[in-house]
Amino acid sequence: MPASSRTTWCATHRMRKTMKRKLAAPLMALTMVCLSACGLSNGSGSGDTTKIMVISDWDNPSFDYQQLPTIVENAAGPVNKAGGINGKKIEVVSCNSKNDPNESMKCARKAVAEKVVSVVGGFNTLTGQIFPVLEAAKIPFVGGAVSLPVDYTSPMSFPITSGAMLFVASAVHALQNPACKSIGFAANQQSEPHWLPYVSKILDHAKVPIVSKAIYPPGTTDMAPYVTQLTANHPDCLILSWTTADAVQMIPALDTLGVLGQWKGRIYTHEPAGTTAQLVKQFPKETNGLLSDSYFPPISDPGWDEYKKVEHAAGNLGKYEDTLGDGSVERTYLAFKVFETVAKTIKGNITNGSMFDALNKACKVDIGSVAPVLNFCDKAADPNISRTFNSSFVWYKVENGEFTRAQPGFQDVMPAYRQATGGS
């Protein structure tokens, strides 16, 4: 309600004692919420610690990311052993959002109550319930899973990946192959409506048509009819925007119909939540030759040596490698590295306010060779994805059950996205 409306309302009803009694409790509750969540109290941890929070989903049928708080605790271990940051050790608070909107909001409120200076990493796809609370309290969120519009636009959002832009990345990857003069495209009905128009525009700009298309319902088990649709007009290359669950059902059909052999080296997929390490282990022969894009290099890359050392010291080396593939473990670990790097630039006490200010001034955040240098000072021109600070991907291929780099370095897909959306 606007301020002028509230004033009129209060003046009109001031003398109505019965209404005053009914309003007393909710007004008091609103006052308490404002005191704790409207930035009037600056979170800085407690005592000798600086608190951060990991919000993640587990104990539900869809997602099990209970390991992500442990990843951050392990990463904080060497920092704390060395004395912490600015004389304070890092305390990691975890919250299980349970893939539930109410629990997600509770986690955000817990972040305010615990006076955390930042939310870091984790996995939650209901951030529409989280960001309003964080925004009111001015608590930054570093390295969250990017999937909803609010993740791309909230001023508290400091993502280190470009989220669902991976669908665009597959098209950009395919266009680097001169043999791809025409494309067959497959996706489930949930992802197709949003991203296929962008993929089509990117391909149209390069004068590479989609000649065959297979759009299937989520949960489809008989993929043979859709594979037939995918290859009906004999496309030169295939783009499979699949989930891991889709891939488990589609790979046998691709193999049975001879597609994997005929199109070997010309099948483009995406790795996060798609062509994962688990999938390759399940289908080592069938996935051989698949090309894919990922936010980060595979775990075999030397850039992950520090991560391995941290997990080895915590007794967890090898425990989480199977999850390296959907991107959440790598992203959460690197989110802490971003927090650590930026927090060390702050002079004096680290608070949520000083952390937010420092992030907005962090124009060159170098967290090693497994990610490009991040620039949180430069927002994307497109207001729909203004909080995209990293639009780069790694191209790789599957060889003998292992991920190997198909090209060195990182490939930026933002120019292609701008072409697709008409941006500059």
Side-chain angles (χ1 to χ4, degrees):
M1 184 183 294
S4 59
S5 299
R6 284 200 304 271
T7 302
T8 303
W9 188 93
C10 290
T12 303
H13 294 274
R14 187 175 297 148
M15 301 305 294
R16 298 185 182 182
K17 294 181 180 180
T18 56
M19 187 62 79
K20 283 180 69 178
R21 285 196 298 269
K22 292 180 180 179
L23 288 173
L27 283 174
M28 180 61 72
L30 180 60
T31 300
M32 294 304 294
V33 169
C34 284
L35 286 173
S36 63
C38 296
L40 299 181
S41 177
N42 213 19
S44 60
S46 60
D48 295 328
T49 67
T50 296
K51 287 186 179 181
I52 60 176
M53 175 177 279
V54 181
I55 299 175
S56 198
D57 290 343
W58 66 91
D59 292 339
N60 68 88
S62 300
F63 302 114
D64 183 9
Y65 288 95
Q66 190 171 1
Q67 77 274 34
L68 298 185
T70 303
I71 292 291
V72 175
E73 289 172 357
N74 294 347
V79 178
N80 289 337
K81 189 174 181 180
I85 301 176
N86 293 356
K88 284 192 174 185
K89 292 186 177 181
I90 306 301
E91 180 180 348
V92 181
V93 181
S94 67
C95 191
N96 179 9
S97 45
K98 301 180 182 179
N99 193 35
D100 179 271
N102 293 325
E103 294 298 328
S104 297
M105 185 177 290
K106 286 180 183 178
C107 284
R109 290 172 176 168
K110 181 179 178 181
V112 176
E114 292 278 357
K115 297 184 177 181
V116 306
V117 304
S118 181
V119 177
V120 175
F123 183 91
N124 180 283
T125 60
L126 299 169
T127 45
Q129 307 300 316
I130 293 174
F131 273 114
V133 179
L134 299 186
E135 288 170 8
K138 201 176 180 179
I139 297 175
F141 194 153
V142 177
V146 184
S147 60
L148 300 182
V150 69
D151 302 320
Y152 292 98
T153 57
S154 171
M156 294 301 115
S157 181
F158 293 86
I160 62 174
T161 68
S162 59
M165 200 176 285
L166 59 90
F167 293 103
V168 171
S170 297
V172 176
H173 192 180
L175 287 177
Q176 294 187 358
N177 185 348
C180 295
K181 303 295 185 184
S182 62
I183 298 291
F185 180 86
N188 68 44
Q189 292 173 350
Q190 289 181 337
S191 60
E192 182 266 344
H194 184 62
W195 286 104
L196 180 57
Y198 296 144
V199 171
S200 297
K201 288 180 181 179
I202 289 171
L203 296 174
D204 287 346
H205 186 269
K207 295 181 170 49
V208 175
I210 295 177
V211 296
S212 301
K213 186 168 64 172
I215 308 302
Y216 48 87
T220 297
T221 55
D222 182 9
M223 288 287 191
Y226 298 100
V227 172
T228 300
Q229 292 176 22
L230 174 66
T231 58
N233 295 318
H234 307 287
D236 296 316
C237 299
L238 305 177
I239 295 178
L240 309 181
S241 290
W242 57 19
T243 66
T244 304
D246 296 337
V248 168
Q249 302 300 328
M250 185 174 282
I251 285 175
L254 291 168
D255 188 33
T256 299
L257 296 174
V259 174
L260 294 175
Q262 186 176 349
W263 273 269
K264 184 175 181 179
R266 293 178 288 128
I267 301 177
Y268 296 84
T269 69
H270 58 81
E271 173 255 353
T275 309
T276 62
Q278 301 99 310
L279 185 74
V280 172
K281 287 183 178 180
Q282 185 174 351
F283 299 100
K285 179 181 177 182
E286 294 85 351
T287 56
N288 195 44
L290 287 184
L291 297 158
S292 198
D293 54 78
S294 177
Y295 302 129
F296 310 113
I299 192 63
S300 57
D301 190 283
W304 290 109
D305 287 350
E306 182 181 350
Y307 164 81
K308 293 178 181 178
K309 187 182 298 183
V310 165
E311 291 305 306
H312 178 75
N316 288 327
L317 184 62
K319 185 175 180 180
Y320 302 128
E321 259 69 352
D322 280 350
T323 63
L324 289 169
D326 74 350
S328 293
V329 169
E330 303 114 303
R331 174 179 48 75
T332 294
Y333 171 76
L334 293 179
F336 176 80
K337 300 305 293 182
V338 169
F339 167 80
E340 176 192 356
T341 301
V342 176
K344 286 180 177 178
T345 68
I346 298 172
K347 295 181 180 179
N349 198 26
I350 301 172
T351 67
N352 56 302
S354 65
M355 189 68 202
F356 175 73
D357 292 340
L359 282 163
N360 279 306
K361 296 175 183 177
C363 306
K364 190 177 180 181
V365 183
D366 189 348
I367 52 175
S369 64
V370 292
V373 174
L374 300 169
N375 179 5
F376 293 121
C377 304
D378 186 17
K379 296 192 297 184
D382 185 341
N384 295 315
I385 56 167
S386 62
R387 307 300 292 178
T388 300
F389 304 105
N390 174 19
S391 54
S392 295
F393 288 81
V394 175
W395 299 160
Y396 68 76
K397 57 185 175 181
V398 180
E399 289 185 326
N400 301 318
E402 299 289 339
F403 296 121
T404 61
R405 295 283 280 264
Q407 292 183 24
F410 294 91
Q411 314 296 321
D412 188 4
V413 303
M414 184 60 78
Y417 177 86
R418 287 172 177 162
Q419 289 175 354
T421 58
S424 57

